[in-house]
Amino acid sequence: MNLIETALEGVYIIEPKVFSDPRGYFFESYNQDKFKKAGLDYVFVQDNQSKSSYGTIRGIHFQTGKHAQTKLVWVLQGTVLDIAVDLRVGSPTFGQHVAVELSGENYRQLLIPRGFGHGFSVLSETAVFSYKCDNFYMPSSEGSVRFDDPDLAIDWRVDRKRALLSEKDKTAPDFQTYCRSPIFHYLSE
Ligand SMILES: Cc1cn([C@H]2C[C@H](O)[C@@H](COP(=O)(O)OP(=O)(O)O[C@H]3O[C@H](C)C(=O)[C@H](O)[C@H]3O)O2)c(=O)[nH]c1=O
């Protein structure tokens, strides 16, 4: 597998070794030993999968404190623009994001450590999204920031006004409100 650094320390694009033949393709989507040897020493405990229609935006989400999650994300079918936002207090890239196109055709994965907000927009008719987390879901520790926050200035590459959003995402706080909230310093211990 090939590891590509991004502008945000700790966030990596992973290009797995893909074996193609007339039947199709095969690749290892996760191998603890190979990841550890590449310096990605995580123990994932929960796998998630979601399917979304074109124009959906999910995020920007995170879990706080000891429930913060590192995520290894990829797309099984379709194409998404995946976003990781640096929410680590004191980080020189605090508030900055990376945007990476993940698809069932490019096989790319993104490793997003604890301390980052995560979201994605769906660029294909539908997209099936799969990811591993190194901490369990804890609703009481969930946090979010508005997807269309002007300070984050994320280009989701879909029409924001017609985006398919959860009720939670429609009412998420803006970035400045998040920075003034009690959970601000509690994102990742
Ligand atoms: C995240 C999660 C959700 N749920 C339940 C809670 C809701 O009843 C339902 C849908 O949850 P939600 O609308 O929060 O799903 P997404 O909007 O896809 O949230 C995810 O979207 C962004 C992109 C992320 O990175 C996070 O993993 C996660 O926040 O699944 C669970 O039972 N377990 C879970 O781990």
Side-chain angles (χ1 to χ4, degrees):
M1 77 184 176
N2 184 31
L3 226 52
I4 301 170
E5 291 184 350
T6 68
L8 302 181
E9 181 266 332
V11 178
Y12 293 96
I13 297 170
I14 298 164
E15 294 179 330
K17 182 173 177 54
V18 180
F19 300 90
S20 297
D21 63 34
R23 298 169 300 170
Y25 71 81
F26 174 94
F27 70 91
E28 292 181 356
S29 49
Y30 175 64
N31 179 312
Q32 187 180 55
D33 182 51
K34 291 177 182 174
F35 269 61
K36 189 171 183 177
K37 284 173 179 161
L40 304 176
D41 187 4
Y42 296 99
V43 177
F44 295 109
V45 297
Q46 180 177 322
D47 286 2
N48 296 332
Q49 183 167 316
S50 64
K51 180 175 183 179
S52 311
S53 302
Y54 172 77
T56 295
I57 296 176
R58 295 182 186 249
I60 301 291
H61 303 159
F62 51 89
Q63 292 193 173
T64 60
K66 63 176 187 279
H67 301 293
Q69 295 172 312
T70 297
K71 294 166 188 167
L72 173 65
V73 308
W74 68 99
V75 170
L76 299 178
Q77 172 272 321
T79 303
V80 312
L81 187 69
D82 205 74
I83 305 289
V85 181
D86 190 351
L87 298 176
R88 297 170 300 183
V89 178
S91 167
T93 55
F94 178 74
Q96 295 181 33
H97 68 276
V98 291
V100 180
E101 195 170 297
L102 305 176
S103 75
E105 285 71 40
N106 70 19
Y107 312 111
R108 280 184 150 190
Q109 298 174 302
L110 196 61
L111 190 287
I112 306 163
R114 298 182 181 193
F116 285 79
H118 176 239
F120 64 86
S121 58
V122 178
L123 308 179
S124 50
E125 186 180 349
T126 60
V128 179
F129 193 83
S130 180
Y131 54 114
K132 304 180 87 67
C133 305
D134 76 340
N135 221 342
F136 295 108
Y137 175 56
M138 185 58 67
S140 60
S141 77
E142 279 193 300
S144 60
V145 174
R146 282 197 66 77
F147 71 99
D148 58 353
D149 185 274
D151 292 329
L152 299 182
I154 297 170
D155 177 5
W156 294 94
R157 291 173 39 195
V158 295
D159 184 344
R160 293 160 180 244
K161 296 180 181 54
R162 297 172 57 194
L164 295 175
L165 304 168
S166 66
E167 287 310 309
K168 174 175 73 175
D169 291 345
K170 286 176 183 171
T171 57
D174 61 36
F175 187 56
Q176 292 305 322
T177 303
Y178 159 71
C179 291
R180 290 192 299 272
S181 71
I183 69 170
F184 175 66
H185 289 284
Y186 190 49
L187 177 59
S188 56
E189 291 174 333

